[in-house]
Amino acid sequence: LSAAGIPWSVLRNYSSASAKEKARRNAICERTELLEVLKARVKQLQASNVPEVTVNKVELAPLGNDKYQDPLRKVVAPGAAEEQPAPRGRDESPARPSSWVEKLKKEMYIRQLKVERKLSIAASQLAREGQAKAKPKAKAKPKAKAKAKAKAKKSQKSLKSPKAPKAKVAAAWSQSHAGPHGVYACRKPRVAAVKEGAKAQWPRRVLEHKDSSQYKILQQTIQSSLECFLFLQQPEEAERFLLLYHSSPVKRRLLSVNAYNIVMRSWARKGCLQRINQLFSMLESVGLRPSLDSYAAALECMGRNQSSTKAVWRCVQQLKNDGFHVDELFQKCLFEEDEKEKVLRAIRIVQPNYELPPPPKPQTCKSSLLQDFYSKEKMVPYPKLDFTVQELQERFQQQLEMELENTVTIESVESTKPLTPQAIKARKLLATLRSQWHDSILQALQKSKHSMSKLKTVSGYNILYPYLCLMPDEEYVGIMLQILNALSPQGESLAVLARELGSKIYNRYITQRKLRSRQLEKVQEVYEEYIHLLAKDRQPDKYLPREYWEKLVAEAGFGPSLNLKDCSWPYMLLMRLGMHMLELLVQAVKVPRNILNPHLEPRFIPVLYHVYSFHSSWQVGLIKPHPIFSQIVSDAAETLLTFNSSAIPMLCPPVPWTSPHFGAFVLNDTKLMRFVDGAVQHQLLLEQCPPVNLHPVLDALNQLGNCAWKINQPVLDIIISIFNDKGNEKLDIPPPISEAPRPPAAPSNSSTCNKSQKHELLLCKKKTAEMHSLRMDALYKLSIANYVRDKVFWFPHNMDFRGRTYPCPPYFNHLGNDVTRAILLFAEGKPLGPKGLDWLKIHLINLTGLKKKNALQERLEYANEIMEEILDSADHPLTGRKWWMNTDEPWQALACCMEIAKASRSPDPAAYISHFPVHQDGSCNGLQHYAALGRDLIGAMSVNLMPCSVPQDVYSAVAQQVEEFRKKDAEQGVKIAQVLQGFVSRKVVKQTVMTVVYGVTRYGGRLQMEKRLKEIDEFPEEYLWEASHYLVKQVFNGIKEMFSATRDIQNWLTESAKLIAQSGRTVEWVTPLGLPIVQPYYRSRSTVLNCSMQNLSVKTSNGNQKPDTVKQKNAFPPNFIHSLDSTHMMLTALHCLRQGLTFVSVHDCYWTHALTVDVMNQICRQQFVALHSEKILQDLSEFMLEKYCSPGRETRALWQKKLMEQLSNVPKTGKFNLKKVMDSTYFFS
């Protein structure tokens, strides 16, 4: 019998040492006593009924409980050797428990309850004492586990010393333990007894909270393992795994109907109706109702077998008795391969004329902001791309091949350098080593799988084993070598590498599933029809991409569903799988020590080392390559880079988003909403949301993704030439490592190495690491750009939890820095038209940052004055006067100079076809939304919501206000105000003003100020702290005075969030476009993954933990404003589509062709006015009152009354007339 593990949710570090010690001793005595009694009882019962003692071995488990606590643990614990259950034949059903087993179960249950009661009393006492200093401490966990484990072993086999289990058992267990608490029997046994108390109650508690995330993660792990068996076509294994849970009364509660359904589906594929009937009986025996999927599996099986009419009729009757309708099978179930056809065949056995139900009528979004957009009368044909159907089909095939490969290997932009003899030699050596490593990794993997498969028959199950069988061994080896090749000389943290390995395996598995289920075939068929909407040689159609795709899917009727049944793997499982692969990699990859220096002895040493480093106060495990390996790689100067196919822009228009599960890439799994690892609440929220409410958001993402791009080749070539010629930090092109500062030469007498030299050495190391990271980032971006230099490409988009949109390919996209933006052009060209050239010139001056305070006309005149400089920059970028280099955004400025030169030299500039994106930027966009929400007159003027002849600069206005405060104080003799004379400028206050809207605190603001003041050489250093403290106070006062309504709204949002979080709920709201949002901030808990290499503390964020009040409170105002700016952007995107504009955005910076800037500006203003004409704060207040202060309770808790009062008290608004925005030139400019 094995002792219980500690649940994450009760892990605390209690302070009272004596109480700890007492409770620890008590708990251990209780345990030992109980174990002795039970052992005696087992022996007594054995004597009366020898053969049966092993039959229900699983039933002995409820005492220890650790086995149900974590899905990643082995399912059944190995007991003492003499008590192993006899392996059962494959098709035997589990034996019925005999009378003595029932008796034993009853006795154990009663005893367990008594112990639990005592332990819980001890625990609650301790909890009360320790409440004051309660702090989560993840590291203590394995120790408790280990100690209890050792205790249990000791009492089972008194002959063994406590050391023995570690030596003999750990070997098997380190392979098999797949959970946050591995077993190192002799880790320092120092742990509070309260944890023991809590252990005993854990499963019951988690199992009672069926909605908790932890419970869901346990269920998800069981289901993903069953899905593996389904994929591997091993129904016997699937059933065996299910029975391990089903046969235990406690673990059984973790099984949902879905778990039984997966096993039914695997038998249905084999046509074993008898097994499915057994599973129906099992469902009934545990009080679960069959779901539609259960009946779908039974009918599929009958369809395969051509069952008798009577059998099918009985099944259909039972389905109806359970309240379902036959049509629902085809409306609600997801099918793979030929399952749908088989179900239909079965139904036609009893209803020969049965026809599939017609697809549901498409629903139309009712949002008042989009009535025009979705009205059928005002619908216009969808704009065409400049491609024929044939060309788009070819591009789709290229994209598909790339995604099927899973990775893309491309030439690096450094490949133009000539090869040295040293590089040729190093490359040969590396190739030899890699082929040796491939063999040794393969051997290690096969050995580990073999030992797992042996273990499987003896003691239950090894959770990881099925996940290592999903693909040929070669594929796993390929993934591990990829990680090895991409490792930087500075090393990488274990957690990052483990996650990457786990994710790569998961992605390959999903690809295989899509192929196996024939989902890909169907996507291909639908896509080939879908491109008719976009191709120029087909009739225009009045459909949106999403609507057209849904129509085609409905018409396709048969075949697999396009959404796979949910098969995502829990985060902890991905990490565990990744850690296992990493351990194999570290063990298997070795290199001869004398490979670079023949004088050394020729023994093999590991290529990868596991070391620790400190990040602030955290100890972090790193994997570092041996310098020998780094040296060979550096000498080889290889020029090939390998990326995941999802890191490369798409070569065909993206698959339109039609649901939270489906869209973007053809094969790669993409989430509609990005979120932190392990968070599930966003996905759940999106799934519960009525699909029609998500239409505007999906359509906006499709619109952004459908913009075609191409490369600005002349600019790319100049950038690559500088990149390969030692870079240029001023122009944001990182120099190579060879340019890094050399560390100071160490003196011959090492003891004299003083503090300052050590510090200098440290700084050199830091700088080198930074340079390497920046250089690699630039190398990736430029190499991908170079790879697609002659292609047209697309960036599929998704969003974060606030609705802000992002391109999916991570390295190279239009959200990047100046360098990346400069090499991107729209693939579609449009004539400049009468005002296009002027807009290009104004855009250039905006990029230089020289005339921010001047009117547009003045900027245009300035551009005409310096035309000579502009043309010189375009013609001789690296040899001329280089005017472009001294601007805010040099590379975009250069690209713009070249475009202006070409346009102005063309015979008719108005007819010149331009592909160049022109930007319009919001003026301190967060404050614009606040000022509009509060109808704040002074605020509205200072952020350009009011028409004005020149742009208003909010930063200068605040700086002026602060200067006035400072003068007053200086006159009254305040020392620091006098010191600051002449130092209060726009630059000093800008960052703080900008971030105030996004929730910066006084503490953060002070740090920002200090940084700015440090940059002023003349400022006396001894006053830094005092001055920054004084300034931040004055900036906050200045903003309070200028933006009175803004501060009121910010305070109202903050206070509301605080009360909501204190009541134990997370803050949720719905954007004006209908997107549901939840803030994912919880008191993060660390779960400890025990691996043989090290214990990995993995932070998990799930909804079962209490909200982090401080984060919920501070983040609500900025997140709410971000959700409004994303709503404004999406409205603008959708209305630009209706007008036939090309539109993309970088949050609050909107891009379009020079020809259409004026139209976009008008749409952008119209949509801002429309958005803020909604009762945004009123609606928010009503939504929250309904959500958090439900009526129906006669006696409201005090916090609820307080919250109701707070939410009902919506801030009053000012007198600003919103319509003025329509005429404000500098609102976006």
Side-chain angles (χ1 to χ4, degrees):
L1 292 166
S2 130
I6 309 157
W8 315 326
S9 42
V10 295
L11 202 58
R12 285 279 188 276
N13 186 24
Y14 292 98
S15 52
S16 156
S18 56
K20 258 191 196 176
E21 201 50 2
K22 241 185 298 181
R24 188 176 73 80
R25 280 199 293 270
N26 292 349
I28 289 171
C29 296
E30 295 273 16
R31 293 261 148 170
T32 318
E33 226 169 60
L34 187 59
L35 283 165
E36 294 305 329
V37 172
L38 287 171
K39 282 188 67 194
R41 181 74 179 122
V42 169
K43 278 191 178 142
Q44 178 191 346
L45 290 164
Q46 267 177 311
S48 65
N49 199 334
V50 180
E52 285 184 296
V53 72
T54 55
V55 173
N56 244 43
K57 182 70 177 55
V58 187
E59 303 294 0
L60 297 177
L63 165 75
N65 276 349
D66 66 318
K67 269 94 66 217
Y68 333 123
Q69 143 174 341
D70 191 316
L72 307 178
R73 290 295 308 274
K74 262 187 347 189
V75 178
V76 176
E82 68 273 15
E83 290 181 13
Q84 294 298 357
R88 222 176 35 234
R90 273 209 158 174
D91 294 335
E92 291 171 39
S93 59
R96 299 257 336 126
S98 68
S99 54
W100 74 265
V101 178
E102 292 291 354
K103 239 189 287 181
L104 176 61
K105 258 164 53 185
K106 207 170 188 173
E107 286 178 21
M108 283 174 64
Y109 184 59
I110 292 164
R111 283 178 190 283
Q112 188 181 358
L113 285 181
K114 284 181 184 168
V115 173
E116 279 182 8
R117 197 170 304 131
K118 284 183 190 171
L119 288 175
S120 71
I121 292 166
S124 59
Q125 274 173 355
L126 269 176
R128 278 198 295 277
E129 291 166 23
Q131 210 86 52
K133 290 186 183 175
K135 252 192 183 176
K137 266 267 179 77
K139 288 288 180 202
K141 191 148 94 195
K143 297 170 187 165
K145 171 83 196 111
K147 187 186 74 191
K149 188 85 218 169
K151 199 80 208 163
K153 294 269 175 209
K154 196 172 175 183
S155 54
Q156 274 181 350
K157 300 188 174 184
S158 49
L159 300 173
K160 273 194 178 178
S161 74
K163 280 276 180 209
K166 181 173 183 181
K168 300 199 176 166
V169 184
W173 277 64
S174 64
Q175 289 282 336
S176 68
H177 253 325
H181 341 278
V183 60
Y184 295 100
C186 297
R187 282 283 162 91
K188 303 165 210 136
R190 194 183 70 223
V191 75
V194 60
K195 298 175 183 172
E196 305 244 0
K199 297 174 199 175
Q201 306 157 348
W202 188 84
R204 294 260 145 71
R205 204 178 67 244
V206 165
L207 296 175
E208 279 157 19
H209 290 283
K210 295 209 169 191
D211 289 334
S212 75
S213 295
Q214 224 161 330
Y215 184 93
K216 288 193 173 80
I217 288 167
L218 288 159
Q219 281 197 335
Q220 202 186 357
T221 308
I222 294 167
Q223 283 171 33
S224 55
S225 300
L226 289 169
E227 289 274 5
C228 286
F229 293 123
L230 172 65
F231 178 79
L232 293 166
Q233 299 175 335
Q234 297 176 347
E236 297 87 357
E237 291 297 326
E239 189 166 306
R240 178 165 173 265
F241 185 80
L242 183 79
L243 286 172
L244 290 170
Y245 284 85
H246 177 81
S247 52
S248 149
V250 181
K251 287 197 271 190
R252 183 184 297 157
R253 297 185 219 173
L254 285 170
L255 295 178
S256 65
V257 180
N258 290 343
Y260 293 89
N261 288 348
I262 296 168
V263 184
M264 284 185 201
R265 282 172 59 211
S266 45
W267 283 122
R269 284 186 190 173
K270 297 263 166 134
C272 296
L273 192 56
Q274 188 188 346
R275 288 303 180 91
I276 291 178
N277 288 337
Q278 274 179 15
L279 286 158
F280 265 89
S281 316
M282 283 163 68
L283 264 180
E284 215 171 294
S285 71
V286 296
L288 287 173
R289 268 186 59 197
S291 67
L292 266 175
D293 283 330
S294 322
Y295 289 111
L299 288 163
E300 177 205 335
C301 188
M302 291 170 175
R304 287 193 197 287
N305 291 347
Q306 296 280 306
S307 294
S308 67
T309 314
K310 192 176 172 190
V312 180
W313 187 83
R314 263 208 314 269
C315 182
V316 172
Q317 279 311 110
Q318 195 177 334
L319 174 143
K320 287 178 179 166
N321 295 345
D322 269 341
F324 299 118
H325 191 279
V326 173
D327 284 355
E328 288 181 286
L329 288 167
F330 302 101
Q331 289 161 338
K332 296 182 181 171
C333 293
L334 296 175
F335 295 106
E336 292 184 15
E337 297 177 48
D338 59 349
E339 293 171 357
K340 194 173 190 175
E341 287 75 358
K342 294 292 178 263
V343 173
L344 188 65
R345 180 200 268 180
I347 287 170
R348 284 183 176 159
I349 294 175
V350 289
Q351 300 180 22
N353 301 326
Y354 179 79
E355 286 302 322
L356 287 180
K361 277 207 161 55
Q363 287 181 289
T364 308
C365 172
K366 294 285 186 287
S367 166
S368 56
L369 290 167
L370 289 165
Q371 272 169 342
D372 278 4
F373 180 79
Y374 285 113
S375 84
K376 288 287 168 222
E377 297 74 60
K378 300 192 181 177
M379 199 64 134
V380 293
Y382 195 76
K384 297 288 187 185
L385 292 168
D386 193 22
F387 294 107
T388 61
V389 168
Q390 176 70 34
E391 287 168 330
L392 285 174
Q393 276 174 351
E394 285 164 12
R395 282 172 161 72
F396 173 73
Q397 284 309 321
Q398 290 172 11
Q399 177 66 25
L400 185 56
E401 279 161 29
M402 181 164 83
E403 289 191 43
L404 281 168
E405 284 293 316
N406 265 104
T407 57
V408 185
T409 300
I410 65 178
E411 278 284 330
S412 129
V413 288
E414 291 182 318
S415 61
T416 48
K417 294 180 181 173
L419 259 184
T420 60
Q422 184 192 19
I424 295 169
K425 190 178 162 195
R427 284 183 190 186
K428 269 189 184 158
L429 177 58
L430 207 48
T432 316
L433 285 172
R434 279 182 185 144
S435 89
Q436 289 168 8
W437 292 339
H438 173 280
D439 296 344
S440 54
I441 296 172
L442 184 63
Q443 219 174 335
L445 177 68
Q446 288 168 340
K447 189 176 164 191
S448 110
K449 277 173 69 173
H450 181 66
S451 60
M452 283 185 185
S453 66
K454 285 236 297 267
L455 208 131
K456 187 175 73 174
T457 52
V458 188
S459 58
Y461 222 93
N462 183 296
I463 272 283
L464 286 186
Y465 184 65
Y467 296 90
L468 295 175
C469 302
L470 295 171
M471 298 174 293
D473 291 346
E474 286 288 340
E475 290 228 15
Y476 292 96
V477 177
I479 289 173
M480 288 191 261
L481 283 171
Q482 244 181 63
I483 293 285
L484 177 65
N485 293 337
L487 193 61
S488 96
Q490 281 78 35
E492 184 58 271
S493 89
L494 250 83
V496 170
L497 291 173
R499 187 182 65 207
E500 211 174 321
L501 278 162
S503 304
K504 278 180 186 286
I505 293 166
Y506 174 72
N507 291 336
R508 296 269 172 110
Y509 160 67
I510 290 296
T511 303
Q512 291 308 314
R513 269 196 61 168
K514 286 181 176 176
L515 285 169
R516 172 87 62 83
S517 71
R518 302 224 317 270
Q519 183 256 14
L520 179 62
E521 258 174 64
K522 186 156 177 183
V523 170
Q524 230 169 325
E525 280 167 34
V526 176
Y527 193 92
E528 284 177 1
E529 286 301 310
Y530 165 69
I531 49 187
H532 289 199
L533 178 71
L534 308 175
K536 63 180 179 187
D537 58 344
R538 284 294 184 274
Q539 283 307 305
D541 245 323
K542 293 189 176 186
Y543 284 101
L544 290 166
R546 173 189 51 78
E547 295 168 340
Y548 197 62
W549 186 277
E550 284 171 346
K551 168 181 172 280
L552 293 170
V553 171
E555 286 166 5
F558 278 115
S561 314
L562 287 184
N563 285 347
L564 288 182
K565 282 189 161 67
D566 179 47
C567 48
S568 50
W569 294 351
Y571 182 55
M572 293 303 288
L573 178 64
L574 277 180
M575 293 296 285
R576 161 56 67 179
L577 185 58
M579 278 302 283
H580 181 72
M581 311 298 280
L582 201 52
E583 283 165 6
L584 291 178
L585 193 60
V586 172
Q587 284 164 22
V589 180
K590 294 199 164 54
V591 63
R593 184 163 170 248
N594 63 347
I595 198 157
L596 297 178
N597 181 354
H599 305 306
L600 297 172
E601 52 174 316
R603 62 188 172 85
F604 277 88
I605 54 170
V607 168
L608 299 177
Y609 280 83
H610 173 220
V611 296
Y612 288 95
S613 163
F614 281 90
H615 286 199
S616 67
S617 61
W618 280 90
Q619 192 180 4
V620 179
L622 298 176
I623 295 292
K624 271 198 166 182
H626 193 285
I628 289 179
F629 173 62
S630 301
Q631 187 63 53
I632 299 171
V633 170
S634 150
D635 291 347
E638 287 182 304
T639 58
L640 289 179
L641 296 170
T642 300
F643 294 102
N644 280 348
S645 55
S646 56
I648 306 288
M650 284 184 76
L651 306 177
C652 66
V655 174
W657 283 107
T658 51
S659 77
H661 296 281
F662 187 81
F665 292 100
V666 180
L667 262 179
N668 290 322
D669 222 26
T670 315
K671 289 267 184 281
L672 175 65
M673 200 172 258
R674 311 161 162 227
F675 37 77
V676 285
D677 295 310
V680 286
Q681 49 277 29
H682 304 292
Q683 198 64 24
L684 292 173
L685 205 57
L686 289 173
E687 281 162 19
Q688 290 156 9
C689 179
V692 70
N693 291 5
L694 292 176
H695 286 176
V697 173
L698 300 177
D699 291 335
L701 286 168
N702 293 337
Q703 181 47 23
L704 296 169
N706 272 348
C707 173
W709 298 87
K710 67 175 190 175
I711 293 293
N712 188 339
Q713 294 185 6
V715 177
L716 176 65
D717 291 335
I718 296 170
I719 291 172
I720 291 175
S721 71
I722 294 181
F723 181 83
N724 282 335
D725 180 33
K726 298 191 175 170
N728 181 329
E729 288 196 62
K730 183 174 170 271
L731 293 175
D732 209 9
I733 295 177
I737 292 282
S738 56
E739 300 299 300
R742 292 269 167 263
S748 49
N749 180 359
S750 59
S751 62
T752 60
C753 187
N754 61 19
K755 217 174 187 179
S756 68
Q757 281 171 319
K758 277 183 184 168
H759 183 65
E760 208 174 321
L761 187 68
L762 207 68
L763 286 178
C764 280
K765 274 189 172 175
K766 191 178 173 202
K767 178 72 178 161
T768 309
E770 271 171 21
M771 282 176 68
H772 178 266
S773 153
L774 290 169
R775 178 81 177 174
M776 293 313 287
D777 180 56
L779 177 69
Y780 289 172
K781 285 173 176 167
L782 295 175
S783 301
I784 293 171
N786 200 41
Y787 173 69
V788 292
R789 66 181 295 138
D790 301 312
K791 299 178 168 74
V792 170
F793 50 90
W794 286 262
F795 295 122
H797 279 62
N798 63 0
M799 57 189 171
D800 66 13
F801 74 90
R802 303 162 303 191
R804 279 199 145 187
T805 59
Y806 300 84
C808 300
Y811 302 111
F812 173 63
N813 59 54
H814 61 285
L815 252 71
N817 58 3
D818 175 44
V819 175
T820 1
R821 293 183 188 190
I823 48 189
L824 280 167
L825 293 170
F826 292 136
E828 184 188 5
K830 289 190 176 173
L832 282 179
K835 287 178 69 179
L837 184 55
D838 288 353
W839 272 119
L840 280 175
K841 291 174 182 174
I842 292 170
H843 176 55
L844 172 64
I845 303 306
N846 289 348
L847 289 168
T848 64
L850 295 173
K851 298 282 174 186
K852 283 180 181 167
K853 297 181 184 175
N854 299 54
L856 291 184
Q857 190 54 39
E858 290 169 15
R859 296 180 205 181
L860 181 56
E861 284 160 11
Y862 178 68
N864 288 327
E865 282 166 27
I866 58 163
M867 204 59 195
E868 208 179 306
E869 296 287 0
I870 294 172
L871 296 176
D872 174 73
S873 292
D875 298 338
H876 313 288
L878 299 180
T879 54
R881 295 195 292 273
K882 306 180 190 173
W883 169 85
W884 64 276
M885 287 190 185
N886 300 309
T887 57
D888 280 5
E889 309 278 355
W891 290 107
Q892 289 174 81
L894 174 63
C896 197
C897 289
M898 291 177 166
E899 187 73 0
I900 291 170
K902 278 189 251 173
S904 56
R905 287 166 179 165
S906 70
D908 175 10
Y912 171 76
I913 302 294
S914 170
H915 296 261
F916 201 83
V918 174
H919 310 172
Q920 294 286 283
D921 235 331
S923 160
C924 203
N925 191 238
L927 275 172
Q928 288 181 326
H929 283 285
Y930 268 127
L933 279 174
R935 303 290 193 273
D936 190 333
L937 197 59
I938 303 174
M941 281 174 72
S942 56
V943 287
N944 295 300
L945 296 190
M946 287 279 268
C948 221
S949 55
V950 290
Q952 296 303 301
D953 180 30
V954 66
Y955 310 118
S956 302
V958 174
Q960 214 173 326
Q961 185 93 33
V962 171
E963 177 58 18
E964 278 171 30
F965 291 153
R966 188 203 64 74
K967 272 186 191 154
K968 269 187 205 158
D969 288 348
E971 282 161 18
Q972 287 168 11
V974 177
K975 178 82 170 86
I976 194 65
Q978 293 165 349
V979 171
L980 273 164
Q981 185 172 352
F983 292 111
V984 177
S985 65
R986 177 186 190 274
K987 191 177 179 185
V988 170
V989 302
K990 181 179 173 180
Q991 192 183 8
T992 309
V993 176
M994 195 192 297
T995 48
V996 157
V997 249
Y998 297 129
V1000 80
T1001 57
R1002 294 204 171 198
Y1003 174 78
R1006 193 198 69 72
L1007 292 176
Q1008 291 170 344
M1009 296 283 186
E1010 188 176 315
K1011 211 171 178 182
R1012 295 290 83 84
L1013 289 172
K1014 257 188 197 164
E1015 290 165 5
I1016 304 172
D1017 296 336
E1018 302 80 55
F1019 190 78
E1021 211 169 294
E1022 64 275 21
Y1023 288 109
L1024 273 177
W1025 196 91
E1026 208 180 333
S1028 54
H1029 205 279
Y1030 172 81
L1031 278 179
V1032 80
K1033 194 170 97 184
Q1034 301 310 345
V1035 167
F1036 271 67
N1037 291 341
I1039 290 176
K1040 202 179 260 176
E1041 223 164 90
M1042 288 174 61
F1043 293 86
S1044 50
T1046 297
R1047 294 304 287 181
D1048 291 346
I1049 293 171
Q1050 207 170 3
N1051 293 338
W1052 180 72
L1053 293 171
T1054 308
E1055 194 55 32
S1056 304
K1058 180 175 134 190
L1059 290 172
I1060 290 168
Q1062 283 173 346
S1063 75
R1065 313 274 295 272
T1066 44
V1067 179
E1068 285 184 36
W1069 70 99
V1070 175
T1071 70
L1073 275 188
L1075 178 71
I1077 294 180
V1078 55
Q1079 293 197 138
Y1081 312 119
Y1082 298 92
R1083 292 182 195 168
S1084 69
R1085 285 258 153 68
S1086 293
T1087 305
V1088 177
L1089 265 182
N1090 262 124
C1091 309
S1092 56
M1093 208 186 295
Q1094 77 164 62
N1095 293 351
L1096 200 59
S1097 174
V1098 182
K1099 279 201 164 59
T1100 50
S1101 139
N1102 65 47
N1104 191 30
Q1105 288 153 2
K1106 283 192 174 165
D1108 180 326
T1109 313
V1110 176
K1111 271 192 183 168
Q1112 288 283 350
K1113 165 180 86 95
N1114 288 343
F1116 181 41
N1119 284 340
F1120 182 67
I1121 294 297
H1122 277 314
S1123 76
L1124 289 182
D1125 74 40
S1126 82
T1127 302
H1128 177 221
M1129 187 279 294
M1130 288 178 178
L1131 286 169
T1132 307
L1134 293 172
H1135 286 87
C1136 282
L1137 156 65
R1138 278 284 170 260
Q1139 304 273 340
L1141 270 67
T1142 300
F1143 173 90
V1144 287
S1145 87
V1146 178
H1147 306 318
D1148 62 349
C1149 177
Y1150 297 175
W1151 300 16
T1152 190
H1153 287 92
L1155 171 72
T1156 50
V1157 174
D1158 289 310
V1159 188
M1160 181 185 78
N1161 271 331
Q1162 195 192 359
I1163 294 171
C1164 153
R1165 285 157 179 74
Q1166 281 169 349
Q1167 294 315 312
F1168 186 84
V1169 172
L1171 170 63
H1172 282 284
S1173 299
E1174 298 280 299
K1175 304 192 303 293
I1176 295 179
L1177 293 179
Q1178 202 56 49
D1179 291 346
L1180 176 69
S1181 160
E1182 283 165 21
F1183 172 82
M1184 288 185 155
L1185 279 167
E1186 190 180 327
K1187 179 153 192 73
Y1188 301 108
C1189 311
S1190 50
R1193 291 192 195 175
E1194 280 73 40
T1195 52
R1196 279 213 167 81
L1198 183 65
W1199 65 265
Q1200 229 174 353
K1201 285 182 185 154
K1202 212 169 157 189
L1203 179 58
M1204 276 185 75
E1205 207 173 298
Q1206 169 64 22
L1207 291 175
S1208 312
N1209 190 13
V1210 181
K1212 305 238 177 317
T1213 52
K1215 297 276 184 289
F1216 171 61
N1217 175 6
L1218 202 55
K1219 295 274 188 296
K1220 298 269 190 202
V1221 174
M1222 291 305 301
D1223 305 316
S1224 170
T1225 310
Y1226 301 102
F1227 165 62
F1228 263 62
S1229 67

